[in-house]
């Protein structure tokens, strides 16, 4: 059984003069989603420090007090952007890693395919751009992303590799001892896509195939002669 990956987010649209009722739904979830989308757009456009809650409210078509009703501070709004954009993918990774009876190799393929398809291949990669740009001045933002994304995903990955080594599917060695290296090529793909896409775009499907081939050759035992 394969867990379904979350759908790709819609790229935030520029602010427009539209009646509030036409832009913001009646439910709490609708209003929260609109505010988060507006916050992401403002953070990407202006950076964390220069983003003002007033401007987020205008872009969302709500009153400033409504933003604070949902998010007591700008940092809380940033946390919500990370949770909505990236954290659901960790749920997918954890669910796939816990698939009963699946081989570790197949699970790794599914996990990597999800990361390429849902992060490198969508506007979610812009959240990484934001974290890279702002983490030096605001280390608490990176610390939060590490807690809700990196730490959880890393724990699931280490457990998967350790169990595969224990049952003989993967061989013990440097790659199994530091399974974070499994993520290396996808991080390269993310950075490349953010920086060089307009100059030299990557074929993400081809990079995924090469990534899987490289990782499995490094982890799987040599065939018996």
């Amino acid at each position: 059984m394969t867990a379904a990956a979350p759908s790709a987010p819609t790229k935030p649209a520029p602010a427009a003069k539209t009646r509030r009722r036409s832009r913001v739904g009646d439910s709490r979830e609708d209003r929260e989603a609109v505010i988060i989308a507006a916050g992401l757009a403002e953070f990407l456009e202006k950076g964390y420090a220069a983003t003002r809650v007033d401007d987020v409210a205008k872009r969302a078509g709500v009153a400033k007090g409504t933003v604070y009703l949902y998010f007591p501070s700008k940092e809380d709004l940033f946390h919500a952007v990370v949770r909505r954009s990236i954290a659901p993918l960790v749920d997918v990774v954890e669910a796939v890693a816990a698939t009963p009876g699946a081989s570790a190799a197949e699970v790794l393929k599914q996990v990597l395919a999800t990361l390429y398809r849902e992060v490198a291949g969508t506007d979610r990669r812009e959240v990484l751009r934001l974290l890279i740009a702002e983490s030096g001045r605001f280390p608490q933002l990176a610390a939060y992303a590490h807690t809700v994304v990196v730490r959880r995903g890393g724990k699931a990955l280490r457990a998967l590799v350790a169990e595969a080594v224990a049952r003989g599917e993967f061989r013990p060695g440097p790659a199994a001892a530091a399974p974070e290296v499994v993520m290396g090529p996808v991080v390269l793909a993310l950075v490349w896509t953010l920086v060089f896409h307009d100059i030299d775009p990557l074929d993400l499907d081809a990079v995924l195939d090469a990534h899987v081939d490289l990782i499995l050759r490094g982890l799987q035992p040599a065939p018996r002669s």
Side-chain angles (χ1 to χ4, degrees):
M1 178 177 176
T2 302
S7 58
T10 302
K11 194 169 185 177
K17 294 182 179 179
T18 310
R19 291 184 306 167
R20 287 178 182 174
R21 180 170 291 276
S22 66
R23 299 182 60 200
V24 183
D26 292 330
S27 73
R28 179 180 178 86
E29 292 76 15
D30 288 342
R31 289 191 293 272
E32 183 177 274
V34 168
I35 294 169
I36 291 172
L40 173 58
E42 290 290 319
F43 289 138
L44 291 175
E45 185 177 299
K46 299 173 182 174
Y48 181 79
T51 291
R52 300 168 60 246
V53 174
D54 280 343
D55 294 330
V56 173
K58 288 177 183 177
R59 188 182 286 261
V62 299
K64 181 179 178 180
T66 302
V67 177
Y68 282 120
L69 180 64
Y70 287 85
F71 307 104
S73 69
K74 184 169 71 172
E75 187 170 326
D76 289 319
L77 177 58
F78 186 91
H79 291 174
V81 166
V82 173
R83 287 196 306 272
R84 182 173 288 267
S85 300
I86 305 297
L89 294 174
V90 183
D91 297 334
V92 173
V93 169
E94 290 176 336
V96 171
T99 303
S103 71
E106 287 303 318
V107 169
L108 269 182
K109 289 178 185 178
Q110 291 183 47
V111 167
L112 293 174
T114 297
L115 293 175
Y116 277 91
R117 181 179 63 247
E118 298 291 341
V119 183
T122 74
D123 292 321
R124 284 189 177 94
R125 61 180 177 261
E126 296 297 333
V127 178
L128 176 63
R129 185 198 300 276
L130 187 60
L131 283 168
I132 292 172
E134 301 291 359
S135 60
R137 289 188 298 166
F138 304 100
Q140 73 273 19
L141 304 181
Y144 179 80
H146 185 273
T147 298
V148 301
V149 177
V150 177
R151 185 181 297 170
R152 283 178 58 205
K155 181 179 178 181
L157 177 63
R158 286 190 293 274
L160 171 70
V161 172
E163 290 171 7
V165 169
R167 64 175 179 261
E169 184 180 350
F170 289 166
R171 64 179 178 83
E180 291 81 3
V181 299
V182 168
M183 294 294 107
V186 75
V187 174
L188 169 64
L190 278 165
V191 174
W192 187 289
T193 303
L194 285 169
V195 178
F196 303 119
H197 177 75
D198 292 339
I199 302 168
D200 186 12
L202 284 180
D203 181 340
L204 292 179
D205 290 333
V207 175
L208 170 60
D209 290 341
H211 187 171
V212 170
D213 180 70
L214 178 69
I215 294 303
L216 293 185
R217 286 178 184 273
L219 286 171
Q220 289 177 325
R224 295 179 181 179
S225 55

